[in-house]
Amino acid sequence: MNRAGRPTGHRTEVGVIGIGLFAKIVGGIVAAGAVGTAVVVGVSAGGSAGDAVVTRVVDGDTVDVRVGGRDERVRLLNIDTPESVDPDRPVQCLGPEATAFLEALLPAGTPVTLEYDDVRTDRYGRTLAGVFTADGTLVNTEIARAGLAAVVVFDDNVRFLPPVERARAQAQQAQAGLYSPGTACTVPALVAQLDETVAAHPVRTPPDGAPAAEFEAAAAAPDVVVAAAAALADLLTGQADQPPVAAIPEAERAVLVDAVQEIGRTARTQGTDLRSSADEIVRAEAARRAEQERLAEQERVAEQERVAERERARRTEQERAERERETAPAPERRADPAPSGDPYPGYTGPRCYEPGGRVWHPCPS
């Protein structure tokens, strides 16, 4: 870590992570590796030791001590805990918990022994050391065993690396700290969240004959999975050197990234297929409407032609009738019959004449 705890060396990461349920979707991270409970750690011979007294815990992997009548800031070797005090960076996952854990292990006034490796100070002037309590417990490993640190190497100092690596594997196996699926900010928890997202957004292909809108709506589910998988893959690749991602060994992280990306690819393919189906339905519907419109137009034109044909036939008939009337001979005109002078034809009874003797009518009986 820097003056507030930022790492200055490169990391080395070990172990094999089991990825449960990845054959199907995404499950939690199942830790694998050695299990143990030892707290007293033997280390290879290295630099000389120095007795000191803890005066203050700075953060999860840095303490201030009084040694040989002077104050020194000690950076614990081969571990890197999440940030909790760096003013230039946000508090990281379980950073405060790591600090509290070290405060519980090394309260002010605790006598400790500092053991060194080849390089004893970093570029910030901090002492690089393994910190042992009076009972021989290597504090560096206890932090790793609690699952509160990633494994790192500073300036090729590897004296305490083997016990730290074993302790980290034990933490992973126990799903402690940064390996706990029950802590929302850890990688296992984020993987479990992706698993839940996949389970909560199953892809349901609409039945044959369903409208395009149903296929478009169905594509929303894989879209959610694509976004979740992309976010997790970006975290795993973009923050590989920072907790909580750095707590996952590199080889395991690569497997995890591949699995997460495969989930994203599968979901993207599902969404693409559903939208392709929707597009095909839209095109088919457009073609059907176009055919209907073509047939309707064809019928309209045919009906217009039938109406025109009937009108032509009517006019032809009308013209034929007019020609027949024009060419027909005029009918013979018969003379009106002359009046008979007998206003009562067939009457043979007595006649009664009007005065003057010219107009008569039947006499009343």
Side-chain angles (χ1 to χ4, degrees):
M1 293 188 173
N2 61 17
R3 296 182 194 278
R6 189 172 182 177
T8 60
H10 66 275
R11 300 179 181 276
T12 180
E13 296 147 317
V14 297
V16 176
I17 195 166
I19 306 171
L21 304 182
F22 259 127
K24 197 172 180 183
I25 41 178
V26 179
I29 295 180
V30 180
V35 177
T37 57
V39 295
V40 178
V41 181
V43 296
S44 60
S48 60
D51 295 330
V53 176
V54 174
T55 59
R56 184 173 77 96
V57 169
V58 178
D59 61 14
D61 51 30
T62 308
V63 295
D64 289 340
V65 300
R66 185 77 176 172
V67 55
R70 66 184 184 281
D71 293 324
E72 290 186 12
R73 178 154 292 185
V74 178
R75 175 65 170 84
L76 278 66
L77 281 169
N78 301 128
I79 63 170
D80 183 25
T81 62
E83 295 289 355
S84 62
V85 297
D86 188 343
D88 298 325
R89 306 180 68 185
V91 174
Q92 294 178 329
C93 179
L94 297 184
E97 288 80 357
T99 300
F101 182 84
L102 188 55
E103 288 173 337
L105 278 179
L106 300 177
T110 300
V112 294
T113 298
L114 305 180
E115 293 198 10
Y116 310 105
D117 206 339
D118 293 338
V119 179
R120 292 184 53 164
T121 59
D122 64 14
R123 58 179 175 169
Y124 301 113
R126 297 176 301 184
T127 298
L128 302 175
V131 178
F132 289 82
T133 60
D135 63 0
T137 298
L138 177 58
V139 175
N140 309 45
T141 62
E142 294 310 297
I143 298 171
R145 184 174 289 108
L148 296 173
V151 178
V152 295
V153 172
F154 296 115
D155 300 318
D156 297 324
N157 286 334
V158 296
R159 179 182 177 190
F160 305 104
L161 185 62
V164 167
E165 288 177 334
R166 289 193 295 271
R168 187 215 63 80
Q170 292 166 10
Q172 187 175 10
Q173 179 70 24
Q175 297 186 342
L178 292 168
Y179 306 100
S180 170
T183 303
C185 59
T186 67
V187 171
L190 295 174
V191 171
Q193 290 171 23
L194 178 59
D195 184 19
E196 293 170 0
T197 298
V198 173
H201 296 84
V203 177
R204 294 187 174 90
T205 303
D208 291 343
E214 289 190 20
F215 284 85
E216 285 287 354
D223 285 350
V224 174
V225 174
V226 168
L232 181 54
D234 288 346
L235 176 70
L236 294 173
T237 57
Q239 298 185 26
D241 62 341
Q242 300 297 326
V245 179
I248 308 301
E250 183 176 0
E252 303 171 20
R253 191 166 61 244
V255 173
L256 181 56
V257 169
D258 287 344
V260 170
Q261 290 176 337
E262 178 60 25
I263 288 173
R265 285 191 294 269
T266 299
R268 183 175 292 106
T269 298
Q270 291 169 332
T272 299
D273 289 345
L274 287 167
R275 287 193 170 86
S276 295
S277 296
D279 291 342
E280 289 177 5
I281 292 171
V282 169
R283 288 193 295 270
E285 179 63 19
R288 186 186 65 81
R289 287 197 302 268
E291 179 64 11
Q292 288 179 333
E293 291 171 359
R294 186 191 69 80
L295 293 175
E297 176 64 14
Q298 185 178 37
E299 177 59 23
R300 185 187 67 80
V301 172
E303 179 60 22
Q304 286 181 336
E305 182 59 30
R306 287 191 292 270
V307 170
E309 181 61 28
R310 289 194 295 269
E311 179 63 17
R312 287 193 295 271
R314 186 190 65 80
R315 289 181 180 177
T316 299
E317 179 60 22
Q318 183 179 34
E319 291 171 356
R320 184 192 63 77
E322 289 177 354
R323 286 195 301 272
E324 287 181 353
R325 285 195 298 271
E326 291 174 354
T327 59
E332 294 183 2
R333 187 174 182 82
R334 297 179 179 179
D336 294 335
S340 64
D342 184 357
Y344 302 100
Y347 179 74
T348 59
R351 298 182 180 184
C352 293
Y353 286 88
E354 296 289 334
R358 295 181 63 85
V359 178
W360 64 272
H361 54 77
C363 291
S365 56

